[in-house]
Amino acid sequence: MMQRLASEQIDVAMPGRGQALGSLHPVMKTWERVEKIFASMGFQVADGPEIEDDWTNFTALNSPENHPARSMQDTFYVEDGLLLRTHTSPMQVRYARDHVKRYENQLVMPDIKIIAPGRTYRVDSDATHSPMFHQVEGLWIGKNTNFADLKAVYQGFLEAFFETTALKLRFRPSYFPFTEPSAEIDIAFDKGNLAGRWLEISGAGQVHPIVLKNFGLDPETYIGFAFGSGLERLTMLKYVNVGEATPLSIVCGAPNVAPNMKVPCARIGAEIPLDSGDVLHIKLGKLRGVESHGMLCSAKELGMIQIQDGLLQLDDDAPVGMDIRQYLQLDDTILEIKLTPNRADCLSVRGIAREVSALTGSSLVVHKTPAVAVSLEKRLPVHITEPNLCGRFSGRIIEGVNAKAKTPSWMIQRLERAGQRSVSALVDISNYVMLEIGQPNHIFDLDKLTGDLCVRYAKAQEEVVLLNGKTVSLQEDVGVIADQIGVQSLAGIMGGMHSSTSDQTCNVYVESAFWWPSSIQGRCKRLGLTTDAAHRFERGVDPQNTVYALEYLSQLIIEICGGIASIIDDQIINIPTTNPVNMRLSRAQKITGIDFTEKDVSEIFDKLGFSWEKNGDVFKVTAPSCRFDIEREEDLIEEVLRIYGYDNLPVRPPIAPQQFLPVPDQVRSVHDLRHLLMTIGYHETVHYSFVPKSWEQQFSENTKPIQLLNPISENMAVM
C-alpha cells in the first residue's frame, strides 16, 4: 500500500496542465469597446431585426422609392417585400417611435440617446467592399441638441477609443437623405504610421425634419444629430497595422504601323505604368534578332482612352522630338469629384466653376454664346402630350452638315480628360455641351424620321433598338420620343439606333429638353441601362438652360461640321416654379450651434447667387433655377454652414441630464458570454450570413431557408 501511495503521490507545488485561452474576433472587440464608451456618455444600446421592411429602412428615413439616393444603399431582397437592412438606422426608427409613444401622455420626454450596432448588408462585392459589414449608428434627439454637440460627442468618443488626444477631426460637407446638414468625418493622427493622413471614418448630420416627423416628433420643438461608423474601419485603425540626330531602331508589331507615321516613342529609361499597378521599364532589348531601342506606344499605354487599334497616330505636323506630354498637354491635373445625389447642379464644368466661385470668392466668368444665324424658316412639328413627362422642349433643324468632319484635337483632349471616348464629330459635340453646361441633348438624323414627333409615354410592350444595340421592351410609364413609324428615343435616357447619325448624315434635328426627374427615376435600373443623360435628368437639370444649350450646340455643329440652322421651336409646358424659402437666423443658430451674424448670412447668400430680402429675424431667399434642391429652411441652413465652413464648428460639450443606466444583476450580456467561452479555449469567428442552399439542407436539414431574390452568386444564395 505504501509503495502504491508513493507511486501515485501528487506534488501540489507543480503547475497544473492549464488550458489555452481562446480569442475574440477583432470586430467584436471593437463592438464591445464602442458600447462601453457610449454607455459612459449615457447612451443606451438599441437592437432590432436584420430583415426589415421598406418603410423602416428607406421611406421613414426620407428615401422614397426610385430616389437617386437609394442607389447609394442598394440591398438584398427576400420574399414578401422584405429586405436586408442597409444600415442600422432602422433600429433608430423603431426605438424613437416606441420612445415617443411611451412618453406621449407625460409632461416631459427624456432625450433619445442610443447607439445601434449590428450587421448590415449592401449589394457590393469587390476589392474594397463586402456584401456584409458591421456598423454602429448613434442618435441623440432633444430640444437643443445641435451640430456643435455632435462634434464634441464624436471627438470625445474617438479620443476614448484610440486612447489619445493626439488626433484631429475634420468635418466635410456631404449628403445623406436622413440628415441635413450632413457631413463626412475624417480623422488624422499626430503620431504613428498614419501621421498626417486624413482618413474618412464616419458620416453624420442633423436629423432631417421629415425623419423627425416620421419618429412622431415636432421638428420645431425637437432637434438632434445622428452618426454612423463602420466597425471594420475602426478595427483596422485600432488593431491592424525621341528627336535624335540618328534614327533609332525599334521593333514594333502593331497592326497599324506604317512608313512616315508619327507616333509616341518611349525611349530607353522611360517607365510605362501597367494596369496591374506595376511599372514597365524600357530597356535595350532584342526581338527576333534585332536590337530595339525603345517602344512605340498606343493610347492605352500612355494612360489615355483607346480610340483606335494599335499605335496612337499623331497629326502630320507633330514636331519630332517633342515631349509627348507637352505635345498632347498631358501634364495636367485631373480632379475626380465625388458628388452627392442632391447636387445635380454640379454635374458640369460650369456647375463646378460656380461652386468654386462661391467657396473661394473668386469671380465667375460665364461663356456667352451668341445666337447662330437663322437661314431656314422650317421646323419639325413636335406634339407633347404628357406635361408631367416633359416640361420644356426646344429643338431646331440644321441642314447640310458634314458628318465626316474631324473632331478638333482640343475637344478630343478635353473629352478624354473627362473620361469620354471620341466617337464622331456630332457625337463628340453633343457630349461636350452636356459636360460643359450640364444639359443633355440629342441629335437625330432628320432624314430617318417620318412625320411629326410626339413626346408621350410608351405603349405596352412597345420595342426600340437603342444606340448600344440592345432591344428593350417598354412599359407604359417609360417616356419616349416617337415619329409616325415608332419609338425613336427613350426620353432623357438614350437615343434609338434607327434615327442615329452616321457618316452619311446630311440633315439633323437637335433637341434639348427638360424631363421631370420623377419620369426618369427608376427606369434605367429596370431596363438595365446606365447613361450620363439619365444620371442628370433623374436628379434634375436647369429648366431655363434648354435654349442656351441648343444655341451652343448649334454653334459648335456649324463651326465644325458646317450647315445652316432653322429657327428654334421652344415649347414651355410645365416647368418648376422657384418659390422663395424663409430662413430664420435664430433657427440657423440653434441647429448649428454657431452664432451667425446677419452680415455672415447675407454675404454667403450673395456668394451663392441667391437673391434675398430680410424682415426682422427672417431671410426670404430665392435660389437660382439651377438650385431646385433648395426647398425648405434646412436646405438654406446647410448652405450657410457649408460656405461658412464645417471646420469652424465649435467643439462644445453638450449639457444634458446624465442618465444612470440600470445593469440587472441576474442578466449577463452577450459580451460576457463571449469572454467566458474565450477563457475555456474557444476562438471567435465572424462569417457571412449567406451560404449555398445545399449547405443549409445538409448541415441544418432546413428545406425552406430564407432565399435571396438577388444573390451575388449561388454560393451566397440563402440566409
Side-chain angles (χ1 to χ4, degrees):
M1 177 63 72
M2 296 302 295
Q3 290 179 347
R4 181 179 176 185
L5 290 174
S7 65
E8 295 179 356
Q9 67 179 348
I10 299 174
D11 185 353
V12 296
M14 290 181 64
R17 293 179 181 176
Q19 187 170 12
L21 286 175
S23 61
L24 298 177
H25 193 279
V27 171
M28 305 312 291
K29 289 170 65 177
T30 298
W31 185 329
E32 181 180 7
R33 183 174 178 81
V34 168
E35 284 190 6
K36 288 181 177 179
I37 293 172
F38 278 107
S40 70
M41 298 181 183
F43 284 78
Q44 292 181 291
V45 178
D47 194 11
E50 295 180 21
I51 298 179
E52 271 290 1
D53 58 75
D54 186 276
W55 189 87
T56 309
N57 191 83
F58 286 122
T59 307
L61 295 165
N62 197 33
S63 292
E65 187 177 4
N66 291 327
H67 192 278
R70 283 209 183 189
S71 62
M72 301 163 63
Q73 298 183 5
D74 201 7
T75 187
F76 298 97
Y77 292 86
V78 295
E79 294 179 349
D80 301 323
L82 300 177
L83 51 85
L84 304 191
R85 66 186 181 195
T86 59
H87 43 190
T88 56
S89 296
M91 289 193 273
Q92 298 179 4
V93 176
R94 293 178 179 275
Y95 184 95
R97 288 171 65 85
D98 289 344
H99 185 89
V100 172
K101 187 175 182 179
R102 189 182 312 127
Y103 292 97
E104 63 182 349
N105 295 322
Q106 300 189 27
L107 294 177
V108 178
M109 185 187 79
D111 286 1
I112 299 173
K113 289 179 65 177
I114 61 167
I115 60 167
R119 280 191 295 262
T120 55
Y121 306 88
R122 295 187 190 172
V123 185
D124 291 323
S125 184
D126 53 44
T128 59
H129 295 88
S130 170
M132 187 194 85
F133 56 99
H134 298 80
Q135 188 180 53
V136 59
E137 296 203 9
L139 177 70
W140 186 345
I141 295 176
K143 292 186 176 181
N144 294 289
T145 310
N146 57 43
F147 219 44
D149 296 331
L150 162 65
K151 192 170 186 178
V153 167
Y154 203 77
Q155 181 164 324
F157 159 69
L158 290 177
E159 290 176 353
F161 182 81
F162 292 110
E163 301 176 279
T164 179
T165 58
L167 53 81
K168 299 175 184 176
L169 214 60
R170 180 176 70 181
F171 277 47
R172 288 183 290 108
S174 188
Y175 169 80
F176 304 104
F178 33 83
T179 56
E180 191 173 34
S182 302
E184 299 276 5
I185 303 178
D186 302 331
I187 186 175
F189 296 96
D190 293 339
K191 302 175 182 178
N193 296 333
L194 298 175
R197 290 179 55 190
W198 287 104
L199 304 168
E200 182 183 318
I201 200 167
S202 182
Q206 285 293 110
V207 180
H208 198 287
I210 292 178
V211 177
L212 289 172
K213 290 179 181 178
N214 289 332
F215 287 170
L217 296 170
D218 179 5
E220 286 294 317
T221 304
Y222 292 95
I223 60 175
F225 61 75
F227 59 84
S229 302
L231 292 180
E232 279 83 357
R233 184 164 300 186
L234 288 170
T235 301
M236 287 187 287
L237 290 174
K238 178 68 176 177
Y239 300 108
V240 183
N241 249 334
V242 173
E244 295 286 343
T246 303
L248 297 177
S249 173
I250 298 177
V251 180
C252 176
N256 65 331
V257 66
N260 299 319
M261 73 181 298
K262 293 184 177 180
V263 298
C265 173
R267 298 166 57 189
I268 294 173
E271 296 180 347
I272 303 293
L274 303 176
D275 291 340
S276 63
D278 296 329
V279 175
L280 173 63
H281 299 275
I282 305 301
K283 302 176 182 178
L284 176 65
K286 183 174 286 189
L287 298 174
R288 298 177 184 176
V290 180
E291 282 192 346
S292 182
H293 294 259
M295 184 177 82
L296 304 184
C297 301
S298 67
K300 183 178 180 181
E301 288 160 341
L302 295 177
M304 302 167 60
I305 295 176
Q306 187 81 25
I307 59 176
Q308 61 190 46
D309 293 331
L311 301 174
L312 174 60
Q313 184 169 0
L314 306 177
D315 293 338
D316 293 338
D317 60 355
V320 177
M322 177 181 283
D323 190 318
I324 191 66
R325 290 171 296 187
Q326 180 181 352
Y327 175 69
L328 294 179
Q329 299 179 5
L330 297 178
D331 277 334
D332 198 358
T333 300
I334 297 177
L335 302 176
E336 291 192 14
I337 300 173
K338 178 183 175 183
L339 287 177
T340 53
N342 63 321
R343 293 306 305 274
D345 60 298
C346 288
L347 285 169
S348 65
V349 174
R350 176 175 294 186
I352 294 297
R354 191 166 48 225
E355 183 72 6
V356 171
S357 174
L359 291 170
T360 63
S362 56
S363 58
L364 177 65
V365 179
V366 178
H367 172 68
K368 295 182 179 179
T369 300
V372 300
V374 174
S375 303
L376 300 171
E377 292 299 325
K378 62 175 64 175
R379 69 183 185 91
L380 177 64
V382 179
H383 308 284
I384 300 169
T385 63
E386 299 290 344
N388 292 327
L389 165 65
C390 179
R392 185 172 186 176
F393 194 95
S394 307
R396 79 174 348 151
I397 294 170
I398 301 179
E399 293 184 347
V401 300
N402 175 18
K404 296 180 181 179
K406 186 177 180 181
T407 305
S409 58
W410 61 266
M411 183 176 287
I412 293 176
Q413 290 172 5
R414 292 183 183 182
L415 288 172
E416 286 179 347
R417 283 159 174 74
Q420 293 279 351
R421 179 175 61 90
S422 176
V423 178
S424 67
L426 289 173
V427 174
D428 292 347
I429 293 168
S430 175
N431 288 333
Y432 185 84
V433 171
M434 177 189 68
L435 292 172
E436 181 174 328
I437 65 176
Q439 173 66 49
N441 55 82
H442 188 63
I443 304 176
F444 295 91
D445 187 323
L446 181 63
D447 298 324
K448 295 178 182 178
L449 298 175
T450 303
D452 300 352
L453 292 182
C454 181
V455 177
R456 57 173 173 82
Y457 281 112
K459 301 172 185 176
Q461 303 305 313
E462 203 167 15
E463 291 188 346
V464 60
V465 181
L466 300 174
L467 287 172
N468 61 2
K470 181 179 180 180
T471 301
V472 294
S473 179
L474 306 177
Q475 297 181 16
E476 295 176 346
D477 64 343
V478 177
V480 300
I481 302 175
D483 64 2
Q484 292 182 3
I485 301 299
V487 176
Q488 299 298 335
S489 176
L490 295 186
I493 298 177
M494 184 182 289
M497 181 68 76
H498 175 74
S499 57
S500 62
T501 60
S502 66
D503 287 349
Q504 285 70 47
T505 297
C506 295
N507 306 308
V508 296
Y509 180 76
V510 293
E511 62 89 358
S512 173
F514 170 77
W515 306 100
W516 280 94
S518 58
S519 69
I520 307 297
Q521 292 168 357
R523 276 64 169 184
C524 271
K525 183 177 181 180
R526 187 198 308 158
L527 295 170
L529 301 172
T530 301
T531 69
D532 289 328
H535 184 78
R536 286 160 173 78
F537 281 125
E538 68 181 3
R539 286 158 173 77
V541 301
D542 187 352
Q544 303 297 337
N545 218 18
T546 60
V547 172
Y548 174 82
L550 196 60
E551 288 285 11
Y552 191 24
L553 183 68
S554 303
Q555 181 195 57
L556 290 174
I557 290 175
I558 293 172
E559 283 182 4
I560 297 170
C561 302
I564 54 176
S566 74
I567 58 174
I568 290 179
D569 178 21
D570 181 31
Q571 301 183 54
I572 301 176
I573 306 97
N574 176 29
I575 60 175
T577 56
T578 304
N579 298 316
V581 178
N582 292 335
M583 190 199 82
R584 293 162 290 176
L585 183 60
S586 57
R587 178 73 173 177
Q589 294 168 340
K590 180 179 180 180
I591 291 288
T592 62
I594 299 175
D595 294 327
F596 294 116
T597 65
E598 292 183 13
K599 182 181 179 183
D600 293 332
V601 174
S602 60
E603 288 180 351
I604 289 172
F605 287 152
D606 289 339
K607 289 179 180 179
L608 291 167
F610 294 1
S611 59
W612 56 273
E613 301 173 2
K614 189 169 185 302
N615 183 11
D617 182 55
V618 179
F619 282 87
K620 186 177 182 180
V621 182
T622 302
S625 57
C626 62
R627 292 301 306 274
F628 41 81
D629 59 307
I630 305 298
E631 298 178 335
R632 57 179 61 87
E633 186 175 32
E634 282 71 20
D635 296 330
L636 292 174
I637 294 173
E638 182 175 43
E639 290 298 295
V640 170
L641 177 59
R642 188 172 61 83
I643 303 301
Y644 184 81
Y646 278 45
D647 287 340
N648 295 321
L649 275 168
V651 180
R652 185 180 303 154
I655 300 174
Q658 181 67 36
Q659 292 178 287
F660 293 94
L661 305 179
V663 182
D665 291 339
Q666 68 274 21
V667 177
R668 294 291 181 267
S669 73
V670 66
H671 298 302
D672 293 332
L673 178 60
R674 292 170 46 249
H675 280 276
L676 176 62
L677 292 173
M678 180 190 71
T679 61
I680 58 176
Y682 283 86
H683 298 273
E684 184 179 27
T685 62
V686 174
H687 301 281
Y688 283 144
S689 298
F690 318 113
V691 294
K693 188 175 183 179
S694 59
W695 285 19
E696 191 70 5
Q697 294 172 346
Q698 294 169 4
F699 294 103
S700 301
E701 298 183 355
N702 183 4
T703 58
K704 294 182 179 180
I706 299 175
Q707 181 85 37
L708 297 182
L709 300 181
N710 57 330
I712 290 177
S713 68
E714 286 300 316
N715 290 330
M716 305 175 76
V718 302
M719 299 288 288

